[in-house]
Amino acid sequence: MFNSKHYIPILKWKPAEQRALEELNDQEKEVISPLIQLVMPQPKLPKLGAIEKSREEQLEEVTASFRIKLPKIPEEILKSWGKSPAFIDFSLIYTGSLRIEGLNQILTIGESLRLSLIPVVNLSSDVEVRKATALLVKKYSHGLCLRLVPADFADLASLSQEIKNFLSDCSLSEKDVDLLIDLKERDDVYLKLIDLSQRIPNLLKWRTFIFASGAFPIDLTNCTLGENYIPRSDWTNWIGQINSKKLQRYPSFADYTILHPIHKESVRFFSPSASIRYALKDQWLVMRGQKGKTVQYLANAQLLSQDQKFSGVFRGADFSFGDAYIVEKGKDLKTKKTGNPANWLTAGINCHLTCTVSQIASLP
Amino acid sequence: MKIEIKVIKTEEEYKESLKLIEELMHKDPDPDSEEGEKLNLLATLVKDYESNAFPESLPDPIDAILFRMEQQNLKPRDLIPYMGSRSKVSEVLSRKRPLTISMIRALEIGLGIPAKVLIKESDEFRNDDDIVWSKFPLKEMENRGYFGKKSLANSNIKELMEDFLRPVGTPSEFMGMAMLRKSYYVRSVRPMDKKALTAWSAQIVKKANKISYPTKFKSGVVNLAFMQKVAKLSVEPKSPLLAQNFLKDNGIALIVEPHFNQTYLDGGTIITNKELPVIGLTIRYDRLDNFWFTLMHELAHISLHYDQNINLFYDDLDRLDSNNKEESEADYLAGEALVSKSKWENSPAKLIPSPIAAESLARELGVHIAIVAGKMRYEEESYQYLNTIVNQEKVRKYFPEIKWEK
């Protein structure tokens, strides 16, 4: 399906992420296969004076709300991404039955829309989920993605056996399956896992081989007001391996863009800082603002797009939708249209995707 | 009613507080209620602000009597009924005899001069003989070497002080006359000791007079463009010294002399000698932003008030002095010279107190980043920001001849 010169951004299926994908051009999309992580909707805020719902009631509410949303998701994918292959992951959906229901609906409706959706399963996924996935994979023939996590590598011999069993249970062979090794935030085991991954049986036979990790911090508390640089160690680790010429199979690059790999439910009343996250070659430039002061988005945008200090790193309005957004917002410090946190997340993710695509595209 | 109660710092906050007091009073709250306590607290804060912002400036009692005589066309003999005899009138008016309680009572009733004015001590600076020399900050002056090799222990204080002041005149000549003419202005949060101010002023004038100036000062030379030119020196290494030299070349003395304990001065401008305006800076805060703003403020006085009535300005710039026209004008011009309003209004620095925003605007203006950082802290009314920047570059080190307090 694709080789190591391909990019798999792992994205929560939320409006900001959807828009960031949608704003990529066709050429950029060719180098990408997103991994879409479905997430549960948030419970509604209680009305003024009303008693907060119990956990059970909230679970019922979000489940119902997810069920309503489910049939619309394939349409959203079509709109934001199109018909090119995309991975779809249900592991963040609360219950096994809801995961299966989601799988069935999304893959079935997706097929009718001619989407090319590849379900993602873990070795630890419920048996029922794995069975349902295997059936759908057989039915639609887009293949399947097996996601391994660091814990799976505790014993390589038993991992090899588990993979063998998994393939056998699903009646699939390696050539039908994409192998994704997802370190999430565990940068520290990158080299060890790369090394172990090379010993996975039949490594060359898997349809694709992907290495994922995410280096963006959980929050910006360690960033000071103004400019900060955070190493993109997920990228530098990967490119280091690509350049090492030592591996029997080189993985494709996957990351969590400008978000922390561990999903955190949004906190109510949380007012994020007016910060811009901007991907550079080996690091992110975070222009940190203060919480709730949305005018500081404009200030940071003007500094980033106009100050000579950043003339060597800011790529200009023509580079991406996100860059153009920054330029536009930096033009007028007095506008009331400062953009909200979701708009700025869209811009940041779009810049990151475009930057990473251009980095991968420029590899020899 | 949600009321935010905080210390009143500006005229705007003062007016807002008055409005709140009016609203609360209209409700006539129980004094023990939350609103009653708020009213009480607000009233205290307003009183506190008023006592700082509008200090009661009582005139000299003899001046008040002379003023009333002039108004009512009275002769000294017309005061005999209030003071007792012609000789007593003469002695009182020449400040040789203090007013008695019975005189004060009679003058209050007869001439309508408030007792609180009459009860005030007459200004000793009018007459050298009345000056209480021991009340000068003699120890500190000695420590600073104001008396040369002479020591307080072995000298007559009056002679010592007269020697010290001789190059600039007697106190009544040097300070007293200016003060009598009301041609000085003190901007300060706290009362400043007049004798300490006299000693400080005399010292900076003495230092200024020892310098040779290649050019005689020309009225009108200090304007916004001139000040902006000076401000641009701030980016250079040893900028305080460069500024000092630049001003010297234009016939202006810039003297650095620490303030005395009893004063809270940042700087002062002395324009009593029209041929040599003297700026004194105390470097009370050892920071570049403070140095530059104070210098610009004093230059603004020279630019704006050179030919006007006031020729002595003493500035404690901790206080916003929006009620005084001259001070407001000088603040504004200083601000324009360093960070012009038009640039500020359109700069990210106005919106976000970040180092990069400060750096960006400083680069655009061609001034030191500490100046912009100082402005950002001031405008944001938050002095925890940009500490590293404003404290990075010190100023006192350029004046090693001064014994700075540790």
Side-chain angles (χ1 to χ4, degrees):
Chain A
M1 195 165 72
F2 51 76
N3 61 15
S4 61
K5 283 179 71 175
H6 200 77
Y7 175 37
I8 298 89
I10 302 173
L11 300 164
K12 312 280 178 301
W13 201 239
K14 290 182 171 183
E17 284 84 344
Q18 291 169 21
R19 178 91 196 276
L21 268 185
E22 193 178 335
E23 296 294 347
L24 293 171
N25 64 35
D26 290 344
Q27 260 185 320
E28 287 156 354
K29 284 182 175 176
E30 273 177 25
V31 190
I32 292 179
S33 297
L35 191 156
I36 294 166
Q37 284 198 300
L38 297 178
V39 288
M40 294 298 289
Q42 289 292 294
K44 284 180 188 161
L45 289 174
K47 284 182 183 163
L48 199 65
I51 301 167
E52 178 123 22
K53 286 180 180 172
S54 67
R55 281 177 186 273
E56 289 74 18
E57 287 169 331
Q58 286 188 9
L59 180 63
E60 267 180 45
E61 181 197 318
V62 297
T63 303
S65 157
F66 184 66
R67 284 203 170 101
I68 294 167
K69 195 176 175 245
L70 259 178
K72 298 171 195 161
I73 292 173
E75 281 286 356
E76 288 175 356
I77 296 173
L78 180 65
K79 181 171 179 274
S80 301
W81 176 244
K83 294 174 182 172
S84 303
F87 300 98
I88 187 147
D89 178 278
F90 293 83
S91 59
L92 297 174
I93 301 305
Y94 287 168
T95 62
S97 60
L98 203 56
R99 279 179 220 134
I100 294 170
E101 193 181 331
L103 258 166
N104 278 317
Q105 281 212 45
I106 291 177
L107 266 66
T108 306
I109 300 171
E111 197 59 26
S112 69
L113 296 171
R114 295 178 175 272
L115 301 184
S116 183
L117 298 176
I118 304 157
V120 180
V121 287
N122 291 13
L123 284 177
S124 58
S125 296
D126 316 338
V127 178
E128 295 304 316
V129 172
R130 279 161 60 168
K131 275 185 188 168
T133 309
L135 281 172
L136 289 164
V137 169
K138 281 234 173 296
K139 194 173 173 185
Y140 299 128
S141 308
H142 297 304
L144 174 141
C145 174
L146 174 63
R147 178 192 237 155
L148 300 180
V149 295
D152 295 328
F153 287 84
D155 179 353
L156 197 59
S158 69
L159 172 63
S160 302
Q161 189 57 47
E162 276 190 74
I163 291 173
K164 199 174 167 188
N165 296 344
F166 173 82
L167 293 172
S168 160
D169 291 348
C170 298
S171 306
L172 292 168
S173 64
E174 286 92 345
K175 68 176 173 44
D176 306 311
V177 182
D178 303 295
L179 181 61
L180 164 65
I181 297 170
D182 187 358
L183 273 59
K184 294 191 185 287
E185 83 285 15
R186 295 289 309 277
D187 257 2
D188 54 321
V189 293
Y190 198 95
L191 294 177
K192 186 180 164 195
L193 269 279
I194 276 281
D195 186 41
L196 289 172
S197 72
Q198 297 299 301
R199 292 189 249 161
I200 289 172
N202 304 319
L203 183 63
L204 296 175
K205 290 187 178 170
W206 296 83
R207 183 167 66 172
T208 62
F209 175 47
I210 308 160
F211 233 78
S213 69
F216 203 87
I218 193 159
D219 55 37
L220 301 180
T221 45
N222 285 335
C223 293
T224 55
L225 212 57
E227 63 174 326
N228 300 266
Y229 294 91
I230 298 170
R232 278 180 70 192
S233 54
D234 43 11
W235 170 263
T236 49
N237 279 334
W238 179 79
I239 197 72
Q241 292 307 311
I242 294 294
N243 293 334
S244 72
K245 312 284 184 199
K246 286 179 185 167
L247 307 180
Q248 64 159 318
R249 186 167 186 182
Y250 293 95
S252 308
F253 177 67
D255 70 7
Y256 285 81
T257 71
I258 54 169
L259 293 165
H260 188 65
I262 307 299
H263 175 58
K264 202 170 69 173
E265 302 284 356
S266 306
V267 180
R268 267 186 214 170
F269 311 119
F270 176 71
S271 171
S273 65
S275 306
I276 299 178
R277 303 167 181 202
Y278 191 70
L280 306 176
K281 194 178 150 212
D282 294 330
Q283 50 196 352
W284 289 286
L285 166 58
V286 174
M287 298 290 288
R288 172 90 145 89
Q290 291 167 304
K291 281 183 182 175
K293 295 195 175 177
T294 55
V295 290
Q296 294 185 355
Y297 280 125
L298 306 177
N300 279 327
Q302 185 172 104
L303 288 165
L304 180 55
S305 59
Q306 295 180 23
D307 192 82
Q308 69 178 63
K309 184 166 190 185
F310 302 112
S311 61
V313 295
F314 186 69
R315 294 172 289 254
D318 295 337
F319 184 74
S320 73
F321 164 82
D323 286 80
Y325 187 80
I326 293 167
V327 169
E328 188 55 35
K329 290 296 171 192
K331 282 179 184 168
D332 181 8
L333 295 181
K334 288 174 180 159
T335 181
K336 287 186 176 166
K337 294 177 180 171
T338 57
N340 60 32
N343 299 145
W344 283 98
L345 187 58
T346 297
I349 293 175
N350 183 270
C351 287
H352 178 94
L353 296 175
T354 316
C355 171
T356 309
V357 165
S358 76
Q359 285 179 288
I360 289 174
S362 66
L363 290 175
Chain B
M1 180 162 54
K2 193 173 180 302
I3 302 170
E4 195 193 346
I5 297 180
K6 55 180 185 177
V7 174
I8 302 164
K9 290 180 188 155
T10 64
E11 195 181 9
E12 203 177 319
E13 289 171 353
Y14 169 64
K15 285 178 183 166
E16 191 62 29
S17 300
L18 289 179
K19 218 169 99 187
L20 286 172
I21 287 178
E22 199 180 335
E23 281 173 35
L24 281 171
M25 282 179 77
H26 186 68
K27 294 173 97 176
D28 193 23
D30 184 322
D32 292 325
S33 69
E34 196 185 338
E35 286 193 327
E37 280 180 6
K38 278 177 184 167
L39 178 60
N40 196 17
L41 184 56
L42 268 173
T44 309
L45 291 170
V46 163
K47 201 172 157 192
D48 188 46
Y49 177 81
E50 284 175 341
S51 67
N52 283 327
F54 321 117
E56 197 173 15
S57 175
L58 297 176
D60 176 79
I62 308 304
D63 277 347
I65 298 170
L66 292 169
F67 179 70
R68 187 52 50 90
M69 285 168 72
E70 194 182 320
Q71 270 188 325
Q72 298 184 6
N73 200 19
L74 302 176
K75 301 279 180 254
R77 66 169 182 272
D78 298 324
L79 300 186
I80 294 172
Y82 311 112
M83 295 186 185
S85 68
R86 181 185 286 268
S87 63
K88 282 179 183 171
V89 170
S90 168
E91 283 170 13
V92 166
L93 292 183
S94 62
R95 301 170 200 274
K96 286 176 184 164
R97 173 192 282 268
L99 289 163
T100 63
I101 294 291
S102 58
M103 287 178 193
I104 289 170
R105 280 197 196 114
L107 287 165
E108 186 180 27
I109 296 165
L111 295 182
I113 303 169
K116 66 179 177 182
V117 171
L118 295 168
I119 214 160
K120 195 175 162 252
E121 263 188 58
S122 178
D123 197 327
E124 60 177 298
F125 278 96
R126 289 166 182 276
N127 191 331
D128 288 359
D129 293 337
D130 295 338
I131 294 171
V132 185
W133 297 104
S134 61
K135 288 191 177 172
F136 274 79
L138 298 168
K139 267 277 171 218
E140 214 172 331
M141 291 171 74
E142 184 183 39
N143 287 342
R144 292 183 184 197
Y146 282 16
F147 305 130
K149 287 177 183 169
K150 291 179 184 168
S151 77
L152 277 172
N154 303 322
S155 311
N156 174 293
I157 293 171
K158 188 181 178 208
E159 285 171 15
L160 207 56
M161 281 301 295
E162 280 172 351
D163 280 352
F164 167 70
L165 290 168
R166 190 159 295 120
V168 291
T170 62
S172 56
E173 283 165 1
F174 180 67
M175 290 282 291
M177 289 313 288
M179 292 193 173
L180 283 179
R181 291 198 304 269
K182 299 288 175 203
S183 59
Y184 75 106
Y185 184 77
V186 179
R187 166 174 169 173
S188 180
V189 181
R190 298 142 288 207
M192 286 200 202
D193 183 277
K194 207 187 278 182
K195 294 183 182 69
L197 282 183
T198 306
W200 182 82
S201 310
Q203 181 67 2
I204 65 164
V205 171
K206 282 171 74 176
K207 279 184 171 181
N209 289 341
K210 282 181 189 163
I211 297 167
S212 66
Y213 301 85
T215 321
K216 201 176 264 186
F217 176 75
K218 287 185 198 128
S219 170
V221 74
V222 180
N223 54 24
L224 180 60
F226 177 94
M227 289 165 68
Q228 282 171 332
K229 199 170 172 184
V230 180
K232 286 193 194 305
L233 295 172
S234 64
V235 295
E236 304 292 337
K238 300 182 182 176
S239 62
L241 298 179
L242 294 182
Q244 194 176 36
N245 274 330
F246 182 86
L247 294 177
K248 188 182 81 176
D249 291 346
N250 285 277
I252 300 166
L254 169 56
I255 307 296
V256 171
E257 182 66 23
H259 78 111
F260 280 87
N261 286 334
Q262 298 89 339
T263 69
Y264 307 91
L265 272 186
D266 289 303
T269 301
I270 301 177
I271 339 178
T272 43
N273 175 359
K274 296 293 175 191
E275 290 186 354
L276 178 59
V278 180
I279 291 173
L281 298 185
T282 65
I283 316 182
R284 188 156 64 104
Y285 300 108
D286 191 8
R287 298 197 323 246
L288 211 52
D289 63 318
N290 202 259
F291 171 88
W292 281 99
F293 185 79
T294 311
L295 175 58
M296 287 297 140
H297 180 91
E298 304 310 334
L299 275 173
H301 278 314
I302 296 175
S303 171
L304 299 164
H305 309 127
Y306 175 78
D307 288 323
Q308 295 185 13
N309 295 333
I310 299 175
N311 47 35
L312 281 162
F313 291 94
Y314 295 102
D315 295 307
D316 163 4
L317 298 178
D318 282 350
R319 180 190 156 197
L320 184 69
D321 199 352
S322 51
N323 292 322
N324 180 274
K325 183 172 153 275
E326 284 82 4
E327 288 302 310
S328 297
E329 286 171 349
D331 278 348
Y332 179 78
L333 188 60
E336 281 299 291
L338 292 168
V339 182
S340 70
K341 194 164 182 266
S342 61
K343 293 279 185 200
W344 172 251
E345 288 294 325
N346 293 296
S347 164
K350 188 189 170 193
L351 302 180
I352 181 167
S354 70
I356 179 64
E359 188 186 324
S360 180
L361 181 56
R363 203 186 308 115
E364 189 183 347
L365 294 166
V367 298
H368 197 280
I369 186 173
I371 292 171
V372 176
K375 163 93 174 166
M376 289 160 79
R377 284 153 59 101
Y378 174 79
E379 292 290 337
E380 190 86 359
E381 286 185 36
S382 186
Y383 293 91
Q384 78 265 32
Y385 294 131
L386 307 167
N387 259 329
T388 314
I389 293 175
V390 295
N391 288 307
Q392 206 165 17
E393 182 72 29
K394 304 290 183 189
V395 183
R396 289 180 182 176
K397 64 181 178 184
Y398 296 119
F399 303 94
E401 70 281 7
I402 292 169
K403 283 188 212 163
W404 295 104
E405 274 183 16
K406 297 289 177 201

